[in-house]
Amino acid sequence: MPNELEFEKPILELRQKVDELRQLMETTGIDLTEEVAKLEERLAELSQSVYQGLTAWQRVQLARQPGRPTTLDYIRGLCTDFVELHGDRNFRDDPAVVGGIGLLEGRPVTVIGTQKGRDTKENIYRNFGMAHPEGYRKALRLMKQAEKFGRPVILFIDTAGAYPGMSAEERGQSEAIARNLREMAGLRTPTVCFVTGEGGSGGALGLGVTDRVYVLEYAWYSVIAPESAAAILWKDASQAPRAAETMRITASDLLAFGIADEVLPEPPGGAQKDPAAMVARVKEKAVQALEELSRVPIAQLLQARYDKYRAMGSFAER
Amino acid sequence: MLKDLFHKKRQYATLATKAEDRAKGPAAAPRDNIPQGLVNKCQSCGALLISKELQKHLNTCPHCGYHFPVDARMRIDITLDPDSFFEYDPGITSVDPLSFPGYPEKLRKAQEATGLLEGAVTGEGTLDGHPVVIGVMDSRFIMGSMGSAMGEKLARAMERAAQKRYPLILFTASGGARMQEGILSLMQMAKTSVALEQLHEKGVLFVSVITHPTTGGVSASFASLGDIILAEPGALFGFAGRRVIEQTIRQKLPDDFQTAEFNLKHGMVDKVVDRKQMRDTLAAILRIHAARGWANAQ
């Protein structure tokens, strides 16, 4: 298996042993059923203990695994008749953000998300899922379009952050993100977002002011990437594992802080081990959430969205 | 009008609070370059400036026009009509939701150095007779970074502006979201934006005034959402830091990158306004928005 992480190696080795034993059984005819069963049991136990005891940094590494479903994988799994729509009508089409319209179990939806590539070539084309202002503006155009036609919006977030480049600054990266935050606050249609991998700061939030926020089990979401936090705190990017703990960026932290409405369990070992199962789980959640949200009158929905974000934070008053 | 300003200046120069702050010991020595003491050196042209002269020029260099930072109290003094300011929520203060190493000490030092509980002062007052809600960020307070307490103060000010239908003026100065509060600080961008959406829906004027520096999460939220965005000359205004961008694109950026003037050229601010003209400019904007007269206007 490619892309195994360091902490997954013991699992991989044990699995290889099981496979070898099975092969031996086939070629020699010796009955090793009992030994195989024992090892399988140990494998399950080991796998459980490894994945349940993951550190924040190990979760960050899992969230970055290239085999995880991308936004387009989720869209293809969720929608029939998906039509991708391109461009911000101002400057260009940003390949780091994809979006379009489709049917979710027969009902119309707008789906938008940041898009990473699977290999280097794709990643260069997708700018590693880091959007320029035109990506946020495309997203906003599609959201306003959804509002006009009464379609709920489903958003997928998997980005290390908004692109920190010269042209992005010239074209107003700040303004593009800021406008999305405000417009999403007032969007007169139900909105849900899924943080499927990396939730990198303002670049993630720029697509994430929604009625519901679902975070996948191994996803992270933070005001600053662990490497950058380590560079600022300890002048040493290699302290990223420590920063990942300190910054409280895991799914369970997000649930505890009231940022995530729910954590979606991933298949054993992560979404990349069984993408189809993950996509199915996300679809189920999207259908359920929109079913609920679509029953709420719009004025009430907006008030609830306001109250939710207005209450975020922790302070004291003397 | 300008005469009023200079009159205000003399009041400011005799404020006792600054001396008190300085008397609190070494912790009170801020790392910024807000003019202190009798003589200050201009960072831009190197001129030696006596503090009285500097204050007469609203902390700008009389020789080259360089804008020194000003703290929140002075900004309010030089912007609003004398004695018109009423402060909102002075008791809101930060807590340490992540148990972040060193954060409580950092807060305490910032509070001692600035005499403020949090990095923004909000309230209402009049500007050339027009009632306004005003918020001023203070770059001395942990780089003006936005945590939950600052987000709350600003969101409340926005809500009051919406209720009273008073124009909102925010002077921004911030390194961005306050890292020590993790994801909660990021969410202050959302919190202030939902409050601004309400203000926007009610048709209330919001003027954002960019002062040095305004970056990161503050730049990517309310600072960029003004109906009108003014900026002080030379103020840094951008999303990502220069070093991060240089590392990403592996080339050197032009000297004027992300300055107010750069942003003006690229269409991101409406006007670059010298500090000495700021009050007059704001007054004109308020006058225009207060004026009525077209029969079918809403």
Side-chain angles (χ1 to χ4, degrees), chain A residues 149-223:
Chain A
F149 295 106
R151 289 190 290 264
V153 183
I154 304 170
L155 295 121
F156 293 97
I157 294 171
D158 182 14
T159 180
Y163 186 62
M166 175 142 157
S167 50
E169 296 289 327
E170 287 174 341
R171 294 198 290 275
Q173 190 71 289
S174 286
E175 194 275 345
I177 293 172
R179 181 167 300 272
N180 278 17
L181 303 182
R182 198 189 73 194
E183 293 288 338
M184 290 184 87
L187 205 69
R188 303 180 63 82
T189 192
T191 53
V192 296
C193 84
F194 293 89
V195 182
T196 60
E198 300 191 270
S201 197
L205 187 64
L207 300 178
V209 180
T210 52
D211 296 317
R212 296 275 168 83
V213 176
Y214 299 106
V215 178
L216 268 54
E217 186 178 1
Y218 300 130
W220 64 270
Y221 194 176
S222 175
V223 66

Side-chain angles (χ1 to χ4, degrees), chain A residues 53-108:
Chain A
L54 289 180
T55 65
W57 179 242
Q58 287 168 337
R59 287 166 183 271
V60 170
Q61 289 173 294
L62 270 183
R64 290 172 177 169
Q65 283 287 68
R68 291 173 74 85
T70 67
T71 294
L72 281 173
D73 296 324
Y74 286 110
I75 292 177
R76 285 186 201 111
L78 259 67
C79 292
T80 53
D81 283 334
F82 178 69
V83 181
E84 187 175 351
L85 303 172
H86 293 273
D88 70 340
R89 299 293 186 273
N90 279 299
F91 184 70
R92 64 153 196 161
D93 184 46
D94 186 350
V97 174
V98 296
I101 52 178
L103 295 174
L104 175 68
E105 295 195 333
R107 288 182 286 188

Side-chain angles (χ1 to χ4, degrees), chain B residues 49-75:
Chain B
L49 306 166
I50 297 164
S51 59
K52 262 199 176 157
E53 189 192 10
L54 199 53
Q55 282 171 359
K56 198 175 77 180
H57 290 274
L58 311 185
N59 282 9
T60 65
C61 175
H63 304 287
C64 72
Y66 172 78
H67 281 49
F68 289 79
V70 296
D71 63 46
R73 301 284 177 202
M74 175 172 174
R75 179 73 69 181

Side-chain angles (χ1 to χ4, degrees), chain A residues 169 174 306 310 316-318, chain B residues 91 93 156 159 219 239-240 258:
Chain A
E169 296 289 327
S174 286
Y306 185 91
R310 186 61 189 80
E317 199 162 4
R318 292 183 192 170
Chain B
T93 187
R156 285 191 192 180
E159 285 176 334
S219 149
F239 178 66
Q258 293 178 323

Side-chain angles (χ1 to χ4, degrees), chain A residues 288-307:
Chain A
Q288 185 209 324
L290 292 183
E291 183 64 45
E292 287 169 23
L293 293 170
S294 66
R295 289 169 197 278
V296 183
I298 295 293
Q300 212 175 308
L301 196 71
L302 291 181
Q303 187 60 48
R305 198 184 296 160
Y306 185 91
D307 293 342

Side-chain angles (χ1 to χ4, degrees), chain A residues 1-5 7-24 35-51 62 65 267-270 272-274:
Chain A
M1 271 269 259
N3 301 318
E4 293 292 336
L5 296 163
F7 61 87
E8 294 179 295
K9 277 197 178 143
I11 301 172
L12 185 69
E13 280 164 16
L14 199 57
R15 186 171 294 138
Q16 272 169 348
K17 258 182 212 160
V18 176
D19 290 345
E20 277 166 24
L21 225 53
R22 276 225 180 90
Q23 221 158 24
L24 199 69
E35 283 80 355
V36 169
K38 259 189 194 160
L39 277 185
E40 293 252 359
E41 203 178 307
R42 258 183 63 199
L43 182 65
E45 278 170 21
L46 180 69
S47 170
Q48 205 182 9
S49 77
V50 166
Y51 290 117
L62 270 183
Q65 283 287 68
Q272 75 283 2
K273 307 270 180 182
D274 191 351

